[in-house]
Amino acid sequence: MAPKRHYTIGYGKPPKQSQWKKGQSGNPKGRPRRDRNVSAMVATLLTQRIVVRAGKTTKRRTRLEHLVHRLFEQALEGDPRLMKMVLDEARKEEARSEKDEPQMDHADREVVEAFLRRMGLKRAAAE
């Protein structure tokens, strides 16, 4: 016959000898820290907000915004390498914006013209 227990043993109630001792952790090593690669650290640093003083005013910007502002300031001061870099970026942005413009083909143009004629706006658009 089994010895009589003074409490019930079951789900969530282990026997006394297998319970955690006071001050003992159930997971002594804890969860291992995740590895941080360089690109994750750089992304974190670039998105941090910093306080930037410009004359008598202060502004809160991300580090990336501050770097871009400094790049443009130094380009305007006459650094030829930075001038070329800024102009190249401007050309790339211009090319991207031209690609994003929707192009109307002949059928679309006819639909728009018919709509404008119906609304009586064709003459106003032509003038």
Side-chain angles (χ1 to χ4, degrees):
M1 184 170 194
K4 207 168 201 176
R5 296 187 176 99
H6 61 281
Y7 70 100
T8 58
I9 296 176
Y11 181 77
K13 295 182 181 181
K16 277 281 191 200
Q17 67 269 14
S18 60
Q19 290 182 4
W20 301 116
K21 310 297 183 264
K22 287 213 183 268
Q24 181 182 2
S25 170
N27 188 7
K29 289 185 179 178
R31 180 178 180 183
R33 292 184 179 193
R34 64 185 170 114
D35 291 334
R36 303 269 325 243
N37 58 11
V38 174
S39 62
M41 285 190 284
V42 169
T44 302
L45 288 173
L46 286 176
T47 57
Q48 283 181 346
R49 290 198 160 284
I50 57 173
V51 176
V52 180
R53 287 184 54 176
K56 294 182 180 179
T57 62
T58 59
K59 296 180 180 181
R60 289 184 55 81
R61 295 180 180 159
T62 63
R63 290 177 187 230
L64 179 62
E65 289 172 341
H66 183 63
L67 286 173
V68 172
H69 280 272
R70 292 278 299 151
L71 169 82
F72 276 83
E73 287 172 7
Q74 289 177 355
L76 289 172
E77 288 173 3
D79 188 336
R81 282 184 322 140
L82 296 180
M83 284 181 188
K84 182 179 179 337
M85 185 189 313
V86 168
L87 290 174
D88 289 344
E89 286 299 317
R91 285 188 197 108
K92 287 179 192 174
E93 182 60 34
E94 190 175 86
R96 272 187 241 130
S97 66
E98 288 175 359
K99 288 180 184 176
D100 293 343
E101 291 179 8
Q103 299 295 324
M104 285 202 311
D105 60 357
H106 183 68
D108 291 336
R109 210 171 281 118
E110 285 179 3
V111 171
V112 170
E113 288 174 4
F115 175 74
L116 291 175
R117 267 187 259 120
R118 241 184 290 146
M119 298 301 291
L121 299 174
K122 185 63 175 173
R123 281 178 252 123
E127 294 173 0

